[in-house]
Amino acid sequence: MGGGERFQLGTVGALTLSVVSSVSIVICNKALISSLGFHFATTLTSWHLLVTFSSLHVALKMKLFEHKPFDQKAVMGFGILNGISIGLLNLSLGFNSVGFYQMTKLAIIPCTVLLETLFLGKRFSRSIQLSLIILLLGVGIATVTDLQLNALGSVLSLLAIVTTCVAQIMTNTIQKNFKVSSTQLLYQSCPYQAGTLLISGPFLDGFLTDQNVFTFKYTTQVLAFIILSCLISVSVNFSTFLVIGKTSPVTYQVLGHLKTCLVLAFGYVLLHDPFSWRNILGIFIALIGMVLYSYFCTPESQSKTTEASAQPFQVLATFVIVLSCSHNSSYFNCPTFHPSLVKSFANIYLKKKVL
């Protein structure tokens, strides 16, 4: 088997792992947050990262991967930036309507394209730009409902968009510039991400929910779901770095938005969430955008070098996996939640504002 074939199989494996782990964690977090009332999203994410780091440390001791130290300033800045972006996304949800929060997530793709064009010299053809517009239009139709603007919420959303885009671009560029694997980068950045969220999480969650994570009643059932969520998060976090490293930040966001459509279908089929013709239309338009994105990426990338020409398959593989999972559920990478969970958080914040 040649190097190109191994690379393609590795990309398919990364995308498959991302989808499977996402399916699992959305079921777990749905029960934990909506049914058991554990609304401390930022703190939960910090626990996810701690467990991920501990698991990777055990893997390192077992010599399953090699520790490769590199620029510690870059690692520290990258880890802290990732932690800040997670906190800002949660704040954006707390200070905005659900519809505006969904628009914030939709804005990540065009912002990523803009930053890569301005600072990395990457070029996106009009065909690819059109396919991304169609994809975003479909996801917007399926997920965006009310749009309520306020100054503070808008500023927080803007900061969340920029930090998330920069963090995801750095995930890709650091792996390539320093010749480190996704596992090596995740292992070294996890402590900084977890530390940032461990310090800010309890205060942030308390501010947004008027509840205290330390005084919450931890029943056996709650603890069981927290442990399960943390274990699954190891796969979610690992697959996130793996997919971005093997493909690109834009392709990762495309996969994420397709997961949004799949999770809507999952919620309707298994969780009996409300589902309308608007959701169906939005999902259909988004799938058209994904097909076009895959189609236009393939011929453009075939004319590049061997390394670059591997990316068309990555994008195509994303589409193949999405099609194969069209009857299954999906989940965004942590800390993005199932749409019904977003609504649950929104209801909490709205009650707080009314009070």
Side-chain angles (χ1 to χ4, degrees):
M1 182 181 294
E5 292 179 344
R6 284 195 298 269
F7 182 85
Q8 292 173 352
L9 287 176
T11 302
V12 172
L15 296 170
T16 303
L17 180 63
S18 177
V19 172
V20 172
S21 59
S22 297
V23 170
S24 303
I25 206 167
V26 71
I27 298 173
C28 181
N29 284 357
K30 172 72 174 180
L32 182 61
I33 294 172
S34 298
S35 302
L36 300 178
F38 188 86
H39 301 123
F40 310 103
T42 308
T43 303
L44 179 62
T45 304
S46 70
W47 297 345
H48 286 172
L49 290 165
L50 278 177
V51 173
T52 299
F53 174 74
S54 300
S55 301
L56 290 176
H57 189 68
V58 172
L60 179 64
K61 292 299 182 182
M62 297 174 63
K63 298 183 178 180
L64 297 179
F65 71 96
E66 179 184 355
H67 180 47
K68 185 180 180 180
F70 60 99
D71 190 345
Q72 283 303 304
K73 289 184 179 179
V75 175
M76 182 183 299
F78 170 71
I80 294 175
L81 181 64
N82 262 293
I84 291 174
S85 70
I86 292 171
L88 286 171
L89 281 170
N90 289 339
L91 278 173
S92 174
L93 173 59
F95 283 90
N96 292 300
S97 65
V98 175
F100 193 81
Y101 174 72
Q102 295 290 354
M103 287 296 295
T104 298
K105 293 194 302 183
L106 291 178
I108 292 175
I109 280 186
C111 182
T112 302
V113 170
L114 177 63
L115 291 177
E116 288 194 313
T117 300
L118 292 177
F119 297 103
L120 299 181
K122 191 171 182 178
R123 293 292 178 263
F124 297 86
S125 69
R126 291 186 180 277
S127 299
I128 290 180
Q129 293 176 21
L130 176 62
S131 65
L132 291 174
I133 291 173
I134 295 173
L135 169 64
L136 294 176
L137 175 64
V139 177
I141 292 174
T143 61
V144 177
T145 53
D146 59 317
L147 282 175
Q148 299 175 13
L149 305 180
N150 66 81
L152 179 59
S154 299
V155 171
L156 289 171
S157 292
L158 178 61
L159 292 174
I161 292 169
V162 173
T163 54
T164 300
C165 291
V166 173
Q168 292 185 357
I169 291 173
M170 287 181 67
T171 303
N172 181 272
T173 55
I174 286 178
Q175 291 184 54
K176 292 180 178 178
N177 292 343
F178 291 99
K179 302 294 189 296
V180 294
S181 68
S182 56
T183 308
Q184 292 167 332
L185 177 59
L186 181 59
Y187 175 71
Q188 295 187 61
S189 63
C190 253
Y192 299 107
Q193 295 183 59
T196 302
L197 295 177
L198 274 174
I199 295 172
S200 62
F203 298 102
L204 183 60
D205 290 333
F207 178 72
L208 293 175
T209 65
D210 277 336
Q211 298 180 42
N212 191 329
V213 67
F214 300 111
T215 59
F216 183 81
K217 186 178 180 180
Y218 291 90
T219 63
T220 303
Q221 191 175 19
V222 170
L223 289 173
F225 275 96
I226 288 176
I227 293 173
L228 180 60
S229 179
C230 288
L231 292 176
I232 299 173
S233 73
V234 176
S235 177
V236 174
N237 290 325
F238 174 71
S239 63
T240 296
F241 278 59
L242 194 60
V243 169
I244 294 177
K246 285 185 173 292
T247 58
S248 70
V250 173
T251 300
Y252 174 74
Q253 283 296 325
V254 170
L255 178 64
H257 285 306
L258 283 168
K259 289 179 182 179
T260 305
C261 297
L262 291 175
V263 87
L264 287 172
F266 161 74
Y268 172 73
V269 174
L270 296 182
L271 303 178
H272 307 293
D273 289 339
F275 205 70
S276 65
W277 283 105
R278 175 175 174 170
N279 299 131
I280 297 174
L281 175 63
I283 291 173
F284 179 73
I285 294 175
L287 287 175
I288 292 177
M290 180 59 194
V291 172
L292 292 175
Y293 181 70
S294 302
Y295 177 77
F296 291 131
C297 274
T298 301
E300 289 188 8
S301 299
Q302 284 176 343
S303 61
K304 299 180 181 179
T305 62
T306 303
E307 181 181 356
S309 66
Q311 291 191 7
F313 182 87
Q314 299 162 8
V315 179
L316 183 59
T318 306
F319 177 58
V320 171
I321 290 175
V322 168
L323 287 181
S324 66
C325 297
S326 60
H327 297 293
N328 296 329
S329 58
S330 187
Y331 178 77
F332 302 179
N333 70 295
C334 205
T336 314
F337 296 100
H338 185 290
S340 62
L341 302 187
V342 172
K343 292 180 181 179
S344 298
F345 281 121
N347 290 333
I348 296 171
Y349 304 144
L350 288 174
K351 288 179 181 178
K352 176 187 174 184
K353 291 177 182 178
V354 172
L355 294 176

